[in-house]
């Protein structure tokens, strides 16, 4: 009996150990699977105080683990509980950090033995409700605000604190994943939104009064008056002219004249199409010297209309009234005043572009009629036999080599019809007009623009006793700006001047003008003109040469008024007797514009 007791005791001890091991195994099987365990993620910015608290917590856990190693096996089985036990939803049920043996919030749960780890759903982290954690969160928010302020003061790309720098150098991949996953929400806080940069287009700008005003290109240009859909710009000049030859004739005498000039322009303000109206009127009266009392003027309008299918229509209408010049070949001697010549003209043209080809067809009508001449003996001499109408049609074809250069050819046909079939001398003055020319259109913006052409022009008179007026044709209208504020113009014109003088057909007059305008200062403008006229009489060797030169200045006192002056000289040299003259004049006046 006594010999069997030790075996009995040994057997009991073995049974107890076996039971203990069995209990531990059962408890291990009953351990909650990691799929049901709570997984904690880092949310928000990690402050230094939170890191320090976590290190202290780990130290306490290690000390507690050392004491547990010396405890009973039952306590070792209890240590197999998960590091992050499930926390209930109700607030206040979570124990304080210093009373729990739970693992650090920075330790991720191990899922190596979880068969459903690949399909695991991450549980939503839950904020502890303890007073210490609330204090830690307050410290973390304060540190985040301080970091944001420090970051705002630093240059882009520069780190703000040691925590950020450590995170960037320690584990780049984890930080990027956390940012993409939305774990760090500091960028969407109210404070950070207030510090975001505004769109440059939405930023407020300074006041208009504080900004620099762009200077006007021409601060002394006429502002104009709004009249309906037109902008009306009138100009009035009043001055005095001292001249050595009042009427520009071989027998002219000196005089001082009062000269009044009214000029205006009106430009349409339409969305589509355009219209321009220009006009002038000049009145001269003698103050002392040779008696002069005359008036002249012109008004002309142009309408541009864009039609369908690349068609454009251009219509013109004008009226002019000018007294016969004393130097004209048809001037009447021994009169108190030369007859008044009036002209009404109109044209209608259609232009079409087909690829680079340019086509234009223009029809024109010009009617000249003359007033009576008042002779010095008191009689009146009718001039109705000089009234005539010219009908013409012009066809132009061009090819656009480039947007700046377009060569063209032009053909003209017309008919001049006199109101009286026979003049006072029994001649049939009506004639047929034919012409051909070639030219070039230039369009280099403000640098150079216009056109010029040369050709041949002929008017055959119905009466066989009179030779045809024929000769070379020259036409030019160019504007060139070599530099800003300077404009140089060149105009050329060929005119057939018919006559009713017995046994004479008329003449061809070639006129050319070279003009220059220079804006010396914003309120000082200089201008000059050189003129050349050549008159070739048909059927004889007679000719006239007229040379002229003019220079002027305009000094603007303000936008609406200025002083103007000009000096002019003109000389006519003729192969016919009694036609030579020289005229010099000086003008000084006041110009007003609106």
């Amino acid at each position: 009996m006594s010999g069997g007791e030790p075996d009995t005791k040994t057997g009991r001890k073995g049974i107890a150990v076996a039971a203990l091991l069995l209990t531990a195994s059962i408890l291990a099987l009953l351990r909650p699977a990691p799929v049901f365990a709570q997984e904690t993620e880092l949310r928000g910015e990690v402050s230094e105080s939170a890191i320090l608290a976590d290190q202290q917590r780990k130290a306490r856990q290690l000390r507690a683990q050392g004491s547990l190693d010396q405890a009973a096996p039952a306590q070792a089985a209890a240590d197999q509980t998960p590091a992050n036990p499930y926390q209930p939803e109700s607030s206040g049920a979570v124990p304080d950090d210093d009373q729990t043996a739970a693992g650090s919030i920075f330790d991720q749960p191990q899922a190596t033995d979880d068969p459903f780890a690949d399909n695991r759903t991450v549980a939503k982290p839950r904020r502890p409700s303890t007073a210490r954690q609330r204090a830690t969160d307050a410290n973390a928010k304060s540190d985040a605000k301080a970091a944001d302020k420090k970051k705002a003061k630093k240059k882009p790309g520069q780190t703000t604190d040691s925590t950020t720098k450590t995170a960037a150098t320690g584990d780049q991949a984890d930080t990027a994943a956390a940012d993409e996953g939305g774990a760090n929400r500091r960028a969407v806080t109210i404070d950070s939104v207030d510090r975001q940069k505004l769109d440059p287009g939405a930023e407020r700008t300074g006041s208009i009064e504080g900004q620099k005003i762009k200077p006007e290109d021409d601060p002394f240009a006429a502002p104009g008056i709004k009249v309906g859909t037109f902008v009306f710009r009138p100009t009035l000049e009043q001055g005095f002219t001292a001249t050595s030859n009042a009427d520009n004739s071989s027998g002219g005498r000196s005089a001082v004249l009062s000269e009044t000039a009214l000029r205006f322009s009106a430009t349409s303000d339409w969305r589509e199409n355009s219209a321009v109206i220009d006009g002038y009127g000049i009145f001269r009266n003698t103050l002392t010297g040779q008696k002069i009392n005359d008036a002249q003027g012109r008004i002309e309008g142009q309408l541009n209309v864009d039609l369908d299918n690349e068609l454009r229509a251009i219509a013109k209408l004008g009226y002019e009234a000018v007294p016969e010049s004393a130097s004209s070949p048809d001037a009447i001697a021994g009169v108190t005043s030369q007859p008044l010549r009036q002209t009404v003209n109109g044209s209608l043209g259609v232009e079409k572009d087909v690829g680079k080809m340019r086509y234009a067809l223009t029809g024109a009508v010009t009617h000249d009629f003359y007033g009576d001449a008042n002779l010095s003996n008191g009689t009146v001499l009718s001039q109705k036999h000089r009234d005539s109408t010219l009908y013409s049609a012009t066809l132009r074809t061009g090819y656009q080599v480039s947007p700046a250069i377009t060569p063209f050819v032009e053909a003209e046909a017309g008919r001049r019809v006199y109101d009286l079939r026979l003049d006072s001398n029994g001649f049939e003055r009506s004639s047929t007009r034919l012409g051909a020319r070639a030219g070039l259109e230039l369009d280099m913006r403000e640098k150079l623009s216009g056109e010029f052409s040369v050709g041949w022009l002929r008017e055959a008179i119905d009466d066989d006793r009179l030779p045809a007026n024929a000769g070379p044709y020259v036409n030019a209208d160019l504007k060139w700006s070599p530099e800003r504020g300077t404009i140089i113009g060149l105009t050329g014109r060929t005119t057939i001047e018919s006559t009713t003088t017995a046994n004479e057909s008329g003449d061809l007059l070639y006129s050319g003008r070279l003009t220059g305008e220079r804006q010396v200062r914003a309120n000082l403008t200089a201008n000059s003109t050189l003129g050349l006229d050549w008159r070739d009489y048909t059927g004889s060797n007679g000719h006239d040469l007229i040379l002229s030169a003019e220079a002027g200045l305009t000094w603007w006192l303000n936008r609406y008024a200025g002083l103007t002056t000009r000096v002019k000289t003109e000389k006519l040299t003729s192969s016919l007797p009694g036609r030579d003259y020289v005229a010099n004049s000086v003008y000084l006046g006041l110009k007003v514009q609106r």
Side-chain angles (χ1 to χ4, degrees), residues 38-168:
Q38 180 179 0
E39 183 173 330
T40 304
E41 295 181 354
L42 292 177
R43 298 184 62 84
E45 184 181 15
V46 180
S47 62
E48 295 182 356
S49 59
I51 295 175
L52 182 60
D54 181 71
Q55 293 176 352
Q56 295 175 355
R57 188 182 303 107
K58 284 184 176 181
R60 290 194 300 271
Q61 290 177 358
L62 292 175
R63 291 193 297 270
Q65 185 64 33
S67 60
L68 289 176
D69 290 340
Q70 300 176 1
Q75 186 65 28
D79 292 338
Q80 300 296 325
T81 56
N84 295 322
Y86 176 76
Q87 297 180 1
E89 287 285 343
S90 60
S91 60
V94 181
D96 293 336
D97 293 340
D98 55 352
Q99 298 177 2
T100 180
S104 172
I105 61 173
F106 298 94
D107 296 334
Q108 295 291 338
Q110 301 296 328
T112 55
D113 57 346
D114 185 5
F116 301 96
D118 294 337
N119 299 325
R120 167 171 91 250
T121 300
V122 179
K124 183 178 180 180
R126 183 173 291 100
R127 289 180 58 87
S129 59
T130 62
R132 178 176 296 178
Q133 185 63 33
R134 286 196 297 270
T136 302
D137 292 344
N139 294 335
K141 184 180 294 186
S142 176
D143 293 341
K145 290 184 179 180
D148 288 343
K149 292 181 181 179
K150 185 176 181 181
K151 183 179 180 180
K153 294 181 180 179
K154 290 181 177 292
K155 296 182 179 179
Q158 185 176 357
T159 55
T160 58
D161 52 26
S162 58
T163 304
T164 306
K165 184 182 300 183
T166 303

Side-chain angles (χ1 to χ4, degrees), residues 13 112 197 202 224 254 304 320 369 381 396 415 551:
K13 291 180 179 180
T112 55
K197 292 184 178 180
S254 62
N304 302 324
E320 184 180 41
F369 55 99
L381 182 62
R396 173 181 291 192
R415 176 72 177 171

Side-chain angles (χ1 to χ4, degrees), residues 500-512:
T500 57
T501 304
N503 300 319
E504 293 184 8
S505 299
D507 61 76
L508 268 73
L509 177 63
Y510 301 93
S511 302

Side-chain angles (χ1 to χ4, degrees), residues 218-220 518-526 553-559 561-563:
D218 189 358
F220 292 92
R518 172 66 178 175
Q519 190 174 11
V520 182
R521 297 178 57 186
N523 63 339
L524 182 62
T525 304
L553 287 172
T554 300
W555 177 37
W556 292 103
L557 305 175
N558 51 47
R559 185 184 285 270
L563 298 176

Side-chain angles (χ1 to χ4, degrees), residues 139-426:
N139 294 335
K141 184 180 294 186
S142 176
D143 293 341
K145 290 184 179 180
D148 288 343
K149 292 181 181 179
K150 185 176 181 181
K151 183 179 180 180
K153 294 181 180 179
K154 290 181 177 292
K155 296 182 179 179
Q158 185 176 357
T159 55
T160 58
D161 52 26
S162 58
T163 304
T164 306
K165 184 182 300 183
T166 303
T169 56
D171 193 355
Q172 297 283 344
D174 293 343
T175 304
D179 290 341
E180 291 179 359
N184 190 355
R185 302 299 181 185
R186 186 184 63 176
V188 296
T189 61
I190 296 178
D191 295 337
S192 62
V193 170
D194 292 339
R195 286 189 291 270
Q196 288 181 358
K197 292 184 178 180
L198 293 176
D199 183 1
E203 294 181 358
R204 297 189 62 178
T205 59
S207 61
I208 298 177
E209 294 80 0
Q211 297 180 355
K212 293 183 179 180
I213 301 175
K214 182 181 179 180
E216 299 182 44
D217 294 336
D218 189 358
F220 292 92
I225 304 173
K226 187 73 172 180
V227 180
T229 58
F230 284 81
V231 178
F232 183 68
R233 292 182 174 88
T235 301
L236 176 64
E237 284 187 33
Q238 176 59 57
F240 303 96
T241 300
T243 177
S244 62
N245 192 334
D247 61 355
N248 291 354
S249 66
S250 58
R253 302 187 307 273
S254 62
V256 176
L257 309 175
S258 171
E259 187 171 327
T260 304
L262 173 64
R263 297 178 176 85
F264 69 89
S265 67
T267 307
S268 65
D269 187 16
W270 304 340
R271 176 180 297 179
E272 298 178 355
N273 309 321
S274 63
V276 178
I277 302 175
D278 295 317
Y280 75 90
I282 300 176
F283 308 90
R284 299 195 309 163
N285 292 282
T286 299
L287 297 178
T288 180
Q290 184 179 352
K291 190 67 173 179
I292 296 294
N293 186 3
D294 60 27
Q296 63 179 356
R298 177 173 179 81
I299 183 172
E300 182 178 11
Q302 177 175 327
L303 175 64
N304 302 324
V305 179
D306 291 334
L307 306 174
D308 295 334
N309 300 322
E310 298 295 332
L311 283 174
R312 294 181 299 276
I314 302 175
K316 296 180 180 180
L317 182 62
Y319 169 78
E320 184 180 41
V322 178
E324 190 75 62
S325 173
S327 61
S328 171
D330 294 328
I332 302 173
V335 297
T336 56
S337 62
Q338 294 291 337
L340 183 67
R341 178 175 59 86
Q342 301 180 72
T343 302
V344 178
N345 65 288
S347 65
L348 178 61
V350 178
E351 299 179 353
K352 182 175 177 61
D353 299 342
V354 180
K356 291 189 175 183
M357 298 299 297
R358 304 290 183 263
Y359 301 98
L361 177 62
T362 304
V365 178
T366 302
H367 179 63
D368 295 325
F369 55 99
Y370 295 81
D372 298 334
N374 298 319
L375 302 179
S376 56
N377 58 10
T379 60
V380 176
L381 182 62
S382 176
Q383 299 292 303
K384 288 186 177 297
H385 60 282
R386 300 175 62 185
D387 297 350
S388 65
T389 304
L390 175 63
Y391 306 92
S392 65
T394 304
L395 176 63
R396 173 181 291 192
T397 302
Y399 180 80
Q400 188 182 52
V401 177
S402 69
I405 302 176
T406 304
F408 66 89
V409 293
E410 201 171 56
E412 181 182 359
R415 176 72 177 171
R416 188 186 298 273
V417 179
Y418 278 80
D419 292 354
L420 299 178
R421 180 175 174 271
L422 298 175
D423 62 9
S424 58
N425 298 312

Side-chain angles (χ1 to χ4, degrees), residues 10-26 73:
T10 302
R12 290 177 180 176
K13 291 180 179 180
I15 294 172
V17 171
L20 203 58
L21 293 175
L22 181 62
T23 303
S25 301
I26 294 173

Side-chain angles (χ1 to χ4, degrees), residues 536-560:
D536 185 15
Y537 293 94
T538 303
S540 67
N541 295 327
H543 61 269
D544 294 341
L545 175 63
I546 304 174
L547 299 175
S548 62
E550 180 179 342
L553 287 172
T554 300
W555 177 37
W556 292 103
L557 305 175
N558 51 47
R559 185 184 285 270
Y560 305 102

